[in-house]
Amino acid sequence: VTSRVGTVDGADLEGYWKAVAAGDDVTASAVAQGALERGASVETVLRDLVAATQSRVGSLWAENSLTVSHEHAATAVSETVVHRIAAGLPEPTGGPLLLVACVEREWHSLPALVVTHTLRSWGLRADYLGASSSRDQLVSRILDTGPRAVLLSASLASSLPRVRRQVEAIRGTGTPVVVGGSAFDPAGRRAQALGATAYAATPAAAVGLLGTLPQHVTPAPALRGPGAVEARSVHTSAESIVRDVLLASDAGLGTTESMRITAPYDWRVVLTTFVPHVVDCLVGALLTADPLIVEDARGWLVDVVARRGGDPAAVDVLWGHLAERLREFPEATALLLRH
Ligand code: B12
């Protein structure tokens, strides 16, 4: 069928989805292979089949139509598919080395894996460090291999404070750092605020930027402004803030420590599980002066609670406890009470 040449179509997507949902990596790989054999590029298959299906997995989890273990199983299938596609790629021959890494405590490794193999499919040399790289790991790899640039991936807005730490470490070695992933806004404002050399939405955009990157970058200047000052204090006491907000929320919602083990899918438990994520999103919003981060996190939580049959007003209660705990911080309070 000529219309299927070079592309991923609806039949591929359905076949791939069924295989992923069934945890069947053999069939999922066969669907991907079929598209490649019809002339679709590795970039197209990874983006339009693998990444597109992962978005569907995420939406279904949010809707409560898919459990966390299904989400993990689906991701494992996609990871296997990417590795199989990668095994068929020729060895890159030369050119600049790119180092692809995930921010510390970022377990969304598939986006970075997809970026790595898309680059390799174009004959570029790309090293992949896997999920959650510490600053020390990252710096010692940079010193060992001297990459032309680091491509740093972050999916969670709550990773933005750790993006800043990694950017500082990478720039400390003089190496340019290009950031990407769903933690960032498409205009690249968060990336710029955090001191990244550049932002790229796709592997192709990152490659397009390579020629414009400086050979050597200076250390990241300290972040100034009232938000950055508050961000430091909130970040330093994040654990105690989370503990206090959890205690207050547990009292209001009737959740207990043992419920987190016996009823992990109860909407109240799901809601309170996200308190650390919310606090880190707030720090990210303070660092980047981007109120959308807090708004998005709140909107997502309202959705998650509503889809699980809970009362969305519970999110207001949680927000109230957080605002109360942070009342000495005017910038943080303003971000929380903005909506
Ligand atoms: C699978 C998944 C997980 C798995 C990850 C397993 C793994 N090994 O990767 C698990 C279950 C662990 C997980 C956990 C969580 N997740 Co999750 N997860 C997802 C999901 C469904 C798919 C991610 C994925 O694989 N995408 C496929 C890749 C290929 O797509 P991509 O991001 O679009 O990547 C492309 C571009 O962004 C770009 N790119 C990415 N990085 C870079 C870097 C550079 C330099 C460049 C140039 C380009 C680039 O190129 C890629 C290729 O096209 C997404 C939903 C989604 N729509 O993506 C949520 C999502 C990322 N998760 C989310 C959340 C909130 C969480 C949790 C906090 C809560 C939860 N849902 O349980 C925890 C936190 C865990 C942690 N500390 O890391 C949110 C993040 C929202 C935000 N921005 O803050 C998302 C977006 C879901 C949502 N709609 O809210 N998750």
Side-chain angles (χ1 to χ4, degrees):
V1 185
T2 44
S3 66
R4 298 185 74 198
V5 169
T7 60
V8 164
D9 66 9
D12 293 326
L13 272 168
E14 257 336 280
Y16 190 82
W17 168 252
K18 280 202 184 119
V20 161
D24 176 358
D25 58 73
V26 174
T27 304
S29 292
V31 174
Q33 196 54 42
L36 290 170
E37 279 163 15
R38 289 198 318 273
S41 66
V42 169
E43 179 194 24
T44 300
V45 171
L46 294 183
R47 184 191 57 220
D48 299 346
L49 194 62
V50 177
T53 301
Q54 287 296 107
S55 300
R56 186 165 170 189
V57 167
S59 311
L60 288 175
W61 177 86
E63 278 175 21
N64 203 23
S65 306
L66 208 68
T67 63
V68 174
S69 55
H70 275 113
E71 186 179 359
H72 281 270
T75 306
V77 169
S78 284
E79 241 156 18
T80 305
V81 169
V82 178
H83 285 298
R84 291 226 178 102
I85 292 175
L89 294 175
E91 278 297 313
T93 41
L97 175 69
L98 302 169
L99 177 57
V100 185
C102 293
V103 174
E104 196 152 21
R105 286 207 255 150
E106 179 66 74
W107 300 108
H108 296 90
S109 52
L110 191 60
L113 190 68
V114 164
V115 169
T116 305
H117 291 303
T118 305
L119 295 169
R120 286 183 186 164
S121 76
W122 295 327
L124 293 163
R125 289 196 301 143
D127 244 3
Y128 168 67
L129 278 186
S132 184
S133 284
S134 71
R135 273 159 45 121
D136 288 353
Q137 280 172 322
L138 201 49
V139 168
S140 67
R141 184 65 80 101
I142 293 170
L143 298 178
D144 282 351
T145 62
R148 172 69 181 89
V150 175
L151 304 190
L152 191 63
S153 176
S155 295
L156 298 164
S158 48
S159 288
L160 292 172
R162 283 175 289 276
V163 168
R164 171 63 191 177
R165 283 168 48 90
Q166 303 292 60
V167 164
E168 284 172 3
I170 298 163
R171 284 186 56 172
T173 69
T175 314
V177 49
V178 179
V179 297
S182 57
F184 300 93
D185 59 296
R189 284 193 206 95
R190 295 174 194 169
Q192 195 190 7
L194 295 174
T197 316
Y199 162 79
T202 62
V207 172
L209 277 168
L210 281 182
T212 69
L213 295 176
Q215 289 295 334
H216 188 90
V217 299
T218 53
L223 295 181
R224 304 201 186 282
V229 173
E230 282 190 21
R232 259 190 298 280
S233 311
V234 175
H235 194 58
T236 312
S237 37
E239 267 182 45
S240 102
I241 294 167
V242 167
R243 212 178 316 116
D244 293 345
V245 171
L246 263 179
L247 271 177
S249 307
D250 278 347
L253 292 168
T255 39
T256 58
E257 215 32 67
S258 70
M259 260 178 93
R260 288 192 233 289
I261 298 156
T262 57
Y265 304 126
D266 182 286
W267 68 269
R268 285 160 291 222
V269 173
V270 173
L271 173 62
T272 55
T273 311
F274 288 124
V275 173
H277 173 69
V278 170
V279 171
D280 286 347
C281 280
L282 179 64
V283 176
L286 286 167
L287 286 174
T288 57
D290 187 345
L292 255 188
I293 295 171
V294 176
E295 265 173 48
D296 282 350
R298 191 176 178 285
W300 179 74
L301 269 185
V302 164
D303 199 41
V304 162
V305 165
R307 297 286 190 169
R308 284 161 180 73
D311 179 3
V315 178
D316 295 329
V317 176
L318 193 150
W319 243 240
H321 292 311
L322 194 54
E324 170 61 20
R325 175 65 176 75
L326 297 174
R327 63 185 180 283
E328 318 129 56
F329 300 105
E331 299 288 324
T333 308
L335 282 170
L336 286 167
L337 301 181
R338 217 176 95 101
H339 61 271

